[in-house]
Amino acid sequence: MVKSWKLVPGVLALVVGAAIVGCNDSNDRNSDDEQTTQKRTSSPLTTSLFEPYVAYATGSTPEAVAIGDLDGDGRNDIALLTSTRNDPANDNMVHVFLQNPDGTLQPRVRYPVGRRGSSIDIGDVNGDGRADVVVGDENSTIGTRIGVLLQNATGTLDAIVAYPTTSAYRVKVADFNGDGRADIAGLGTALDIFLQTDTGTLAPPVTYRVDRLVQDVEALRGHLGLDRMDLFGHSELPRLPWRV
């Protein structure tokens, strides 16, 4: 990064030319982020790497963002998950910004998820060749779930389908058993894996123990000033790496 910059609540920022997308953090860690950025920019660049970022209003507080082709046109689009900010029209929604042929973004399309989520990812979780949206919603009071919004043939998203689980603070779509199909992992107090079957449905989750809460790992990552930490699953599933 050339400069450090802050995002105000209710704003999605896009840095054109490198597909770098940011959303504000509901936990204020801006001071730590700025210190980390300053350490990495001690040698100034002679030219800018990016075009100026463009801000897109979201109304509610952005929680997480993912990039993928959400209308089947071969271009990457943006899916943004919001929580609450006393804005019922935008609270607890997946906001989809489709990309135009010229690289700009269309006005958002909103899809309700019903509850506050904490993470989002994109991938084909029913085997039809179209990218779907998966959201994580961990709530000890009303129940934890993973929500799936399938992309249909018209290039829009179907209504959310909820899958109860024990852990969904962070979700990831990837092939976790090597069969060529995208599965879903939910990480929180444990690690839950939903494998995609050969019929395009999701099998009941298999739960694996983790020794610490993912929040502890993220706090450590922030304290160390790291962009990413690679975690490895419990010995019951040694092939499974996890990145935060």
Side-chain angles (χ1 to χ4, degrees):
M1 296 175 63
V2 178
K3 299 179 179 179
S4 62
W5 41 270
K6 296 182 179 180
L7 294 174
V8 298
V11 172
L12 165 71
L14 172 68
V15 180
V16 179
I20 293 181
V21 180
C23 61
N24 81 302
D25 192 338
S26 56
N27 298 315
D28 188 3
R29 297 193 299 265
N30 285 323
S31 59
D32 291 338
D33 292 342
E34 287 180 346
Q35 291 174 5
T36 300
T37 300
Q38 291 169 1
K39 292 178 183 177
R40 295 172 183 165
T41 57
S42 57
S43 299
L45 297 172
T46 56
T47 59
S48 176
L49 293 176
F50 310 114
E51 297 291 339
Y53 78 88
V54 179
Y56 294 83
T58 60
S60 299
T61 302
E63 290 291 338
V65 66
I67 296 176
D69 181 5
L70 293 176
D71 62 350
D73 63 359
R75 294 185 290 269
N76 279 331
D77 311 304
I78 296 174
L80 172 78
L81 180 65
T82 60
S83 56
T84 57
R85 192 173 171 79
N86 297 319
D87 185 355
N90 296 301
D91 288 348
N92 302 323
M93 298 271 185
V94 171
H95 300 240
V96 173
F97 296 81
L98 297 177
Q99 184 183 167
N100 292 312
D102 64 358
T104 59
L105 298 180
Q106 298 178 20
R108 61 187 165 168
V109 179
R110 289 165 290 190
Y111 299 91
V113 297
R115 290 160 43 173
R116 176 174 180 166
S118 58
S119 62
I120 188 169
D121 202 7
I122 292 175
D124 179 10
V125 297
N126 67 343
D128 63 358
R130 294 186 286 266
D132 312 305
V133 173
V134 178
V135 299
D137 172 10
E138 187 162 290
N139 190 305
S140 59
T141 302
I142 58 179
T144 296
R145 66 177 189 173
I146 285 175
V148 175
L149 297 87
L150 296 175
Q151 182 184 162
N152 55 51
T154 65
T156 58
L157 299 179
D158 292 337
I160 190 171
V161 177
Y163 295 85
T165 183
T166 62
S167 300
Y169 181 71
R170 289 288 182 263
V171 293
K172 179 68 177 178
V173 177
D175 180 6
F176 293 116
N177 63 346
D179 63 359
R181 294 185 288 266
D183 313 305
I184 300 174
L187 182 63
T189 56
L191 176 65
D192 277 3
I193 304 292
F194 293 80
L195 295 177
Q196 184 183 160
T197 68
D198 55 4
T199 62
T201 59
L202 295 176
V206 179
T207 300
Y208 298 90
R209 171 191 165 201
V210 294
D211 292 326
R212 299 289 296 177
L213 294 177
V214 68
Q215 292 95 327
D216 296 338
V217 178
E218 292 209 325
L220 176 62
R221 176 175 62 85
H223 176 72
L224 295 176
L226 300 176
D227 292 328
R228 187 186 77 209
M229 290 183 66
D230 292 338
L231 305 183
F232 293 89
H234 191 264
S235 57
E236 295 177 86
L237 192 61
R239 295 179 56 202
L240 179 64
W242 188 272
R243 290 178 175 177
V244 294

